[in-house]
Amino acid sequence: MNVNAMAGAGYGAGVGGVSGGGDSLKLKSLEQKLKKLEDEKKQAEEAQDTERARKLEQEILKVKQEIEQLKEKEKKKKEKEQEKPGQEKQGVPGLRPDGLDVYA
């Protein structure tokens, strides 16, 4: 299979960072692509096709990097969502961490 043909595979879902499940769909797609590339690399190594295995390894590294970046983006997004508007991370005097007013 042509490595270049696979380079764009699986990017249709969630392109543009659509809020909601778009990023998680892209993450799943990238993880599937990673597994497929790893399987192909293993086959190339078994066939002693070192050039193909080297190219696949480069593609694997790129996909792993994309996965890590996407996971970091989701982590930051979740942290930001947990902060309530008007509250700083340290908290607001008179408000409990869950946002309830202690004076009410």
Side-chain angles (χ1 to χ4, degrees):
M1 176 176 264
N2 185 348
V3 175
N4 293 330
M6 289 184 51
Y11 288 102
V15 172
V18 176
S19 63
D23 286 340
S24 64
L25 290 175
K26 184 174 182 181
L27 182 61
K28 286 181 184 181
S29 176
L30 286 170
E31 288 171 342
Q32 289 173 348
K33 180 179 179 181
L34 178 61
K35 184 179 180 340
K36 188 173 184 178
L37 287 169
E38 288 173 339
D39 290 343
E40 286 190 35
K41 180 185 171 213
K42 184 178 177 182
Q43 290 174 359
E45 289 171 341
E46 289 171 358
Q48 297 181 347
D49 187 347
T50 54
E51 181 64 22
R52 182 170 173 243
R54 185 185 63 77
K55 288 180 181 180
L56 288 165
E57 180 62 27
Q58 290 175 342
E59 189 69 23
I60 287 169
L61 291 174
K62 287 178 189 176
V63 172
K64 283 182 177 180
Q65 189 176 30
E66 285 184 67
I67 289 171
E68 287 304 313
Q69 289 173 349
L70 195 56
K71 284 182 178 181
E72 186 65 28
K73 181 181 172 185
E74 285 185 352
K75 180 181 173 184
K76 287 180 181 178
K77 185 178 177 182
K78 285 181 183 179
E79 288 173 357
K80 196 170 188 176
E81 287 174 354
Q82 288 177 350
E83 290 182 38
K84 300 200 185 234
Q87 280 185 262
E88 297 177 15
K89 283 189 176 183
Q90 302 90 356
V92 174
L95 287 182
R96 296 186 345 196
D98 59 1
L100 295 177
D101 187 348
V102 294
Y103 302 114

